Amino acid sequence: MPIVAYVFDAYGTLFDVQSAASRNAAAVGPQWERLAEVWRAKQLEYSWVESLMGRHPDFRELTERALDVAMSAVGVPGGEVRGALLDAYRTLDAYPEVPEVLEALKNRGARLAILSNGTPAMLADAVQAAGIGDLLDAVISVEEVGVFKPNRRVYELVQKHLGVPPAGVSFQSSNAWDAAGASAFGFRTVWVNRAGRPREYPGEAVTEVRDLSALVGMDI
């Protein structure tokens, strides 16, 4: 079946999760990169643990909790910088190639969507800041099913919103575990390995690229 829809993870795939800390590097100090790393790691860890415990605080709450732990871990004091970091997370920078790639895929006649752990409000802010709203057919949040990725119920939302079976979907994520989950569900999956990390889930049928520009002209 030909690809009918391209579905993108949001954080780390379309939007640079390090940009909140990099914008505030002067206030955070030289440890801003370490702060960004711990913040992201804890944010994801909390999503998995809460799901396994059968609970579902929203992603905004987990983002705030993860930031508090990260600031403590790297020795960044609270106060105004905490608010500035959270405000910056609402409007993360899109990766440079994102608008051009989305436009090229849209011009090809494909349907485009985001599927994310983020809340609807978080995603609306990020999409608006990036100026890509007109290119998207759907912005889908896990809040509809009350569980985080890589639960299968999350990936099922794509067919609900777009009416496209898994075989007609190309799913893109920078998170290896998300790409593996999407592949296991039945999507044709692309791992956007921007950092050149070693392959973590070799059993899954996942195409690996360095950035989203590789999608243009790709036959997967």
Side-chain angles (χ1 to χ4, degrees):
M1 179 177 181
I3 295 172
V4 177
Y6 289 82
V7 179
F8 299 83
D9 170 61
Y11 299 109
T13 304
L14 295 178
F15 309 123
D16 182 358
V17 292
Q18 284 200 322
S19 63
S22 66
R23 287 187 213 167
N24 291 279
V28 172
Q31 64 272 45
W32 72 265
E33 288 181 291
R34 179 60 179 157
L35 173 74
E37 180 183 353
V38 176
W39 187 5
R40 177 61 169 168
K42 286 297 176 182
Q43 180 194 51
L44 294 175
E45 176 189 327
Y46 292 159
S47 74
W48 300 326
V49 171
E50 293 286 352
S51 289
L52 287 170
M53 291 192 294
R55 305 190 311 203
H56 187 73
D58 71 37
F59 205 58
R60 179 66 177 181
E61 179 183 332
L62 298 189
T63 300
E64 293 181 4
R65 283 167 47 190
L67 175 58
D68 290 337
V69 170
M71 292 177 71
S72 177
V74 304
V76 175
E80 291 185 5
V81 68
R82 180 183 186 274
L85 286 164
L86 289 172
D87 284 344
Y89 203 93
R90 291 176 49 246
T91 57
L92 294 169
D93 298 339
Y95 287 103
E97 78 275 14
V98 166
E100 183 177 350
V101 169
L102 294 184
E103 186 171 2
L105 297 175
K106 190 73 172 178
N107 288 340
R108 198 186 290 172
R111 305 191 70 189
L112 307 180
I114 286 174
L115 178 66
S116 173
N117 279 342
T119 68
M122 291 175 70
L123 295 171
D125 287 341
V127 167
Q128 181 177 14
I132 59 174
D134 290 344
L135 298 171
L136 298 170
D137 295 285
V139 179
I140 309 167
S141 167
V142 301
E143 291 303 295
E144 287 191 42
V145 288
V147 68
F148 294 111
K149 296 176 184 178
N151 190 286
R152 291 180 63 86
R153 286 186 290 154
V154 174
Y155 304 115
E156 288 170 355
L157 289 171
V158 171
Q159 187 163 6
K160 174 185 174 182
H161 282 265
L162 299 182
V164 179
V169 174
S170 176
F171 181 82
Q172 289 64 230
S173 181
S174 64
N175 302 295
W177 55 269
D178 187 19
S183 178
F185 179 73
F187 291 149
R188 294 148 77 174
T189 307
V190 175
W191 178 31
V192 187
N193 186 12
R194 296 181 185 275
R197 300 184 186 279
R199 197 173 182 92
E200 298 179 45
Y201 301 91
E204 300 299 339
V206 174
T207 300
E208 182 178 339
V209 300
R210 291 304 294 266
D211 62 56
L212 290 169
S213 61
L215 291 178
V216 180
M218 178 185 292
D219 182 18
I220 63 171

